[in-house]
Each structure stands twice: as C-alpha cells, then as structure tokens.
C-alpha cells in the first residue's frame, strides 16, 4: 500500500474512535429519554441497576463517518452500507420494543440478500476437498448455492456475535480482536477498502469499550451486536478474504 493509503487507514481508526467515544454519552442520555433501558428483572442479568441499551448507535455512527471519509466508492461499499442500514434500523426497534425472533431472522436474511445482489458480494468458490484430484483445486458453486451459502454465513455470524453479548465488554472486545486480524491480513495482501472498514470497525469497538466495562454505563444492545456481527461476516467474504 502507498504511504497515503497507510495514513488514511490510521486516520480511519482515529476518526471512528473519536466519534464513537464522543457520541456514546449523548446516546446514553437519549436512551433514558426514550425508555431504551435494560431493567434487571431476573437473576440471569449481571447488572444490578437499569442500564441504557442502545450504545450501538454511537458505534455505527463512528464507523460510518470514518468509512465514508476514507473508503473508496464502489459497488461493494454501497451494498454493504445498504445492508447495514437495514440491520441498524432493526436493532434500534428491537432495543426499544423487543421484536419477535422470527421477524429479526427474516430481516437479517433481507440484509444479506441486499449485500449479495446490490454489492455483488458472495461466496462462490470453495477449495476442492478431494485431495486426489490436483487438476481441479477449486469448486465453483452454482449461483443458487452461492447465494444460499452466503446468506447462511452472514446470518450465522450476525447472530453468533449477538449471542455472546451477555457480559460487559465481551462482544466489543472479541469483535475488536477479530477486526485486528482482518486489518492485518488486508494490509498484508493490499486490500485497502477492507483495511479501512476493518480498522473503522476496530475504532468503534475501542471507542465504546470504556463505557461498557463492568460496571457498564451503557450496553450496545442488538443495535451494536448485530452491527458488529453483520460487518465481520460481510468483510470476511470480500476480495481474497474468502480463502482466509
């Protein structure tokens, strides 16, 4: 990568971190006003007092600002952002009104299909598991199977991150570590676009973590956890990342 691109990648992290860190207290105040509060009504919840749960709004804001500032316009970027918009709206509504699980599942599938057909991002090649056939090292998937596998991947990872969001700092910390890995590989293979989005994702995690450590001042909620899972799933199947 060029020196200019390297500087932009660093700036993307700084901008994402600053915007997320600065807007999280504002989102916390908003949560109290609109009633987006997680009240500990049972023993399963670790926190002892009502805690705001729409911190993901600040994370998405920091990520989007940094990405739009430093990422290069492309079909993949448009598709990813459109899919993210659907996930973001669903997350906010769920944090405020508790959506039905089946409805959330359908919305996640719609977001995945937007990524596939608008952004032209999909898993279309597998390494041939038949080691005795060296003449064909890859299996090219038919379109219907490629779409199916990609939808399953995006929905699975989105929910995987959502499910681990049960302890303060866990989902943001794990996602930050995953983002570091994505950025490292992206820089190594020269994938500038993925490097920018990956490091912006990392910046949003680090910007939110100071407010999310135990005792948490605010939770990311489904707005944040589904955002992290969706972005990690989508970034991991772009460019040469399919092989990794």
């Amino acid at each position: 990568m060029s020196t200019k691109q390297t500087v932009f990648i660093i700036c993307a992290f700084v901008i994402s971190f600053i915007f997320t860190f600065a807007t999280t207290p504002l989102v916390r105040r908003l949560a109290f006003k609109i009633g987006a509060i997680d009240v500990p009504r049972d023993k399963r919840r670790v926190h002892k007092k009502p805690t705001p749960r729409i911190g993901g709004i600040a994370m998405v804001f920091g990520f989007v600002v940094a990405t739009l500032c430093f990422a290069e316009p492309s079909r993949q970027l448009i598709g990813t952002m459109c899919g993210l918009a659907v996930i973001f709206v669903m997350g906010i509504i769920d944090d405020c009104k508790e959506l039905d699980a089946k409805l959330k599942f359908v919305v996640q599938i719609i977001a995945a299909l937007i990524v596939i057909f608008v952004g032209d991002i999909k898993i279309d090649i597998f390494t041939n598991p038949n080691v005795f056939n060296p003449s064909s090292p890859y299996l090219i998937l038919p379109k219907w199977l490629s779409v199916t596998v990609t939808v399953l991947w995006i929905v699975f990872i989105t929910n995987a991150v959502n499910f681990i969001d049960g302890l303060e700092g866990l989902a943001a910390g794990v996602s930050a570590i995953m983002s570091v890995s994505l950025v490292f590989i992206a820089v190594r293979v020269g994938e500038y676009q993925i490097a920018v989005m990956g490091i912006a994702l990392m910046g949003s995690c680090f910007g939110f973590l100071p407010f999310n450590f135990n005792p948490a001042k605010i939770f990311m909620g489904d707005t944040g956890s589904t955002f992290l899972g969706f972005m990690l799933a989508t970034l991991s199947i772009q460019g040469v990342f399919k092989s990794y």
Side-chain angles (χ1 to χ4, degrees):
M1 290 188 183
S2 65
T3 303
K4 181 180 178 181
Q5 289 178 327
T6 303
V7 172
F8 280 177
I9 291 172
I10 296 173
C11 289
F13 173 82
V14 174
I15 293 297
S16 180
F17 176 89
I18 290 175
F19 273 84
T20 302
F21 186 83
T23 55
T24 299
L26 302 178
V27 172
R28 187 172 184 271
R29 295 176 193 172
L30 174 65
F32 280 113
K33 289 183 178 180
I34 65 176
I37 307 296
D38 193 324
V39 180
R41 296 189 179 94
D42 52 53
K43 296 181 179 180
R44 185 177 64 86
R45 288 171 167 80
V46 178
H47 59 291
K48 304 302 181 184
K49 59 182 181 180
T51 306
R53 59 180 179 187
I54 55 172
I57 294 177
M59 300 178 73
V60 174
F61 181 67
F63 169 80
V64 170
V65 169
T67 299
L68 295 182
C69 285
F70 299 104
E72 297 173 348
S74 65
R75 180 178 177 181
Q76 288 75 21
L77 179 62
I78 293 173
T80 301
M81 288 301 177
C82 289
L84 175 58
V86 173
I87 292 292
F88 179 63
V89 172
M90 178 200 73
I92 293 177
I93 296 174
D94 186 45
D95 284 334
C96 295
K97 295 187 177 181
E98 300 263 346
L99 293 176
D100 180 72
K102 294 179 181 178
L103 176 60
K104 290 194 290 183
F105 186 70
V106 171
V107 174
Q108 290 169 3
I109 292 176
I110 293 172
L113 291 173
I114 290 174
V115 169
I116 294 169
F117 292 106
V118 176
D120 192 26
I121 300 170
K122 56 184 179 294
I123 302 170
D124 48 17
I125 297 176
F126 274 127
T127 300
N128 192 345
N130 184 3
V131 295
F132 300 104
N133 187 15
S135 60
S136 301
Y138 302 108
L139 294 177
I140 300 177
L141 303 180
K143 188 172 181 178
W144 68 269
L145 184 56
S146 174
V147 170
T148 303
V149 170
T150 305
V151 169
L152 290 174
W153 173 259
I154 293 176
V155 172
F156 176 80
I157 299 299
T158 299
N159 285 289
V161 177
N162 187 26
F163 290 154
I164 67 171
D165 183 32
L167 294 174
E168 288 94 334
L170 181 59
V174 170
S175 298
I177 294 171
M178 290 190 230
S179 300
V180 171
S181 302
L182 285 172
V183 172
F184 177 79
I185 298 172
V187 171
R188 184 178 179 184
V189 299
E191 290 276 3
Y192 170 74
Q193 189 88 324
I194 300 176
V196 168
M197 298 178 75
I199 206 163
L201 191 66
M202 183 170 64
S204 68
C205 290
F206 281 115
F208 181 72
L209 274 172
F211 303 93
N212 195 228
F213 286 128
N214 187 35
K217 296 180 178 66
I218 186 171
F219 298 140
M220 66 172 65
D222 274 15
T223 308
S225 59
T226 54
F227 152 66
L228 292 175
F230 178 80
M231 287 310 308
L232 287 169
T234 304
L235 289 176
S236 66
I237 57 174
Q238 295 188 38
V240 299
F241 273 74
K242 297 183 185 72
S243 61
Y244 288 95

